[in-house]
Amino acid sequence: MKNREALPGPTAPVAERIAKIEQSALAENLCQLLDEAAEEAPDTLAWFFFDSGESITYRDLRKQVDQLARGFSSLGIGAGTHVGVMAPNIAAFPLTWLALARLGAVMVPINIRYTARELHYVLTDSESRHLIIHPELHDILSEARQAYPDLVLERVISISDEQWEGFFTAADASPPALPVRGPDTLLNIQYTSGTTGFPKGCMLSHRYWLIVGKAHAFCDGMDYRRILISLPFFYMTAQWQFVMSLYQRATAYVAARQSATRFMSWVRAFDIDFCIVPTLAYKQPEHHADTDNTVVRANIYGFPKANHADLERRFGIIAREGYGMTEIGAGMFIPMEADDMVGSGSCGIPMPFREFRIVDENGVDVETGTVGELIVRGEGIMQGYYRKPEAMAKSYYGDWFRTGDLFKRDARGYYYIVGRTKDMIRRAGENIAAREIEEVLLEIPEIAEAAVIPVPDEIRGEEVKACLVLRDDASPDDIAPQAILDHCQAKLAIFKVPRYIEYRTRALPKTPSGKISKPPLIAETPDLRKGCWDRIENRWHS
């Protein structure tokens, strides 16, 4: 370990820390937080994208944000303009986010693995008028435009082209004239998979980001100066980690892409204080330098509780579980000092600004220790699903948001997740809607019925399995697994494509109302891979 033995723990009880966070003033918007950081720590590096070597101080970051905002403004991007952003982890991504925030515009982050079908959906559903895109992704945009004539954009801005570079070299150095924007101004339409097929756009305000960043920055009362971001910026996690970094006046060390094999070498090389440890990093072979790090706190999500204590032993770190989702941002955390909760499987206690209840199917509170649906309310959760009033109506009990997750609570107030009410698959951190995959499968004429279910997996948590019933006049010879996979790969991001395909000779089980019932499919055999074609191993499981 590197000098961590002398590091003091939290200096105040957790209840006092939460109260202090809730009572302290919130910035008016995200860029006011940036301005404060630039004033207090002008020469501190705001970020270092270590794969490309891109770095910038807080002083220069504020300058470049103003330059980019001025350039965007000259193109007609202003308050309320919806702008799609499709790029890998490069400095241009958070820079664009902050410039749009400065203008009061709205960012629509887009997964770079989306197919033309998915890109078309997100751009049209979000009513994006402009698209900022990395040059390497132009082919998928061209494919989407050819396939979908209704995809109309006022402007496509290519990152790193002459126009882009011109934004930072323009003679006019004055900041753009800006409207006064409060914390409830919409900042993101962040797409997250739901149970009704295509993803839904969560409307996230400046207040949302200010709160989720603040809660994570200060819930333990510790100082973090070097924060590792290894997830893509088109996900909410990387975004809140950067806002956390702004609060701490820290430096964000950003990887081009997640890598389990390189993760701990990054932690060691950059003397990281805070990180989110992926399960796959623990599954790598042990290394003699595993404990040679300066991590103050690591977050873990859905980590196997039986391995939690060994994770801490192996890396010599304090690792704590948590819970959150795109709709609510900050959710739960286990306090740093709660050593007795290691290996408990608990997600923790409510983070600042959050209230939770566990209710039955009628929205009535259940007793302590009883399983029910988790519902939440609090300052700075999402403002709603964009253009989805029906989904909104189904997602609330009054002002309490229904998470769709099944929880129980113990007598001490710690919460434990036990399952999901929603028809979702959680694969390597990705939420995947079963229905979206089923709809794509049913486009194949030979398939009469399709049910997509999760298969437990040691590496990725869950894998995707498609249970298929073919038409009476069709056989697997007519539609082989590879033909099914080719169809799915043309319509779905690769992480959604089923790994396992099972042909069934009888109809899928049904509920009394005639809907497909998945619990019997999941419960019928201890090994859900049996009798399936395995896309990864390229073989049948006997």
Side-chain angles (χ1 to χ4, degrees), residues 78-81 98-106 178-179 181 185-187 206:
T81 305
L98 293 168
L100 294 174
R102 184 74 91 190
L103 293 170
V106 180
L178 302 172
R181 301 174 316 287
T185 301
L186 182 63
L187 178 53
H206 285 253

Side-chain angles (χ1 to χ4, degrees), residues 453-506:
I453 61 174
V455 174
D457 184 81
E458 269 194 9
I459 302 299
R460 296 172 180 85
E462 291 177 339
E463 284 281 14
V464 180
K465 174 180 174 178
C467 303
L468 306 177
V469 177
L470 301 183
R471 287 189 336 228
D472 291 341
D473 60 347
S475 73
D477 292 334
D478 299 314
I479 184 70
Q482 192 56 53
I484 294 169
L485 295 171
D486 289 345
H487 175 81
C488 290
Q489 288 172 348
K491 298 294 186 74
L492 298 166
I494 189 62
F495 62 85
K496 301 177 187 177
V497 175
R499 172 172 179 175
Y500 302 108
I501 293 177
E502 178 188 11
Y503 295 98
R504 299 177 67 86
T505 57
R506 59 190 183 279

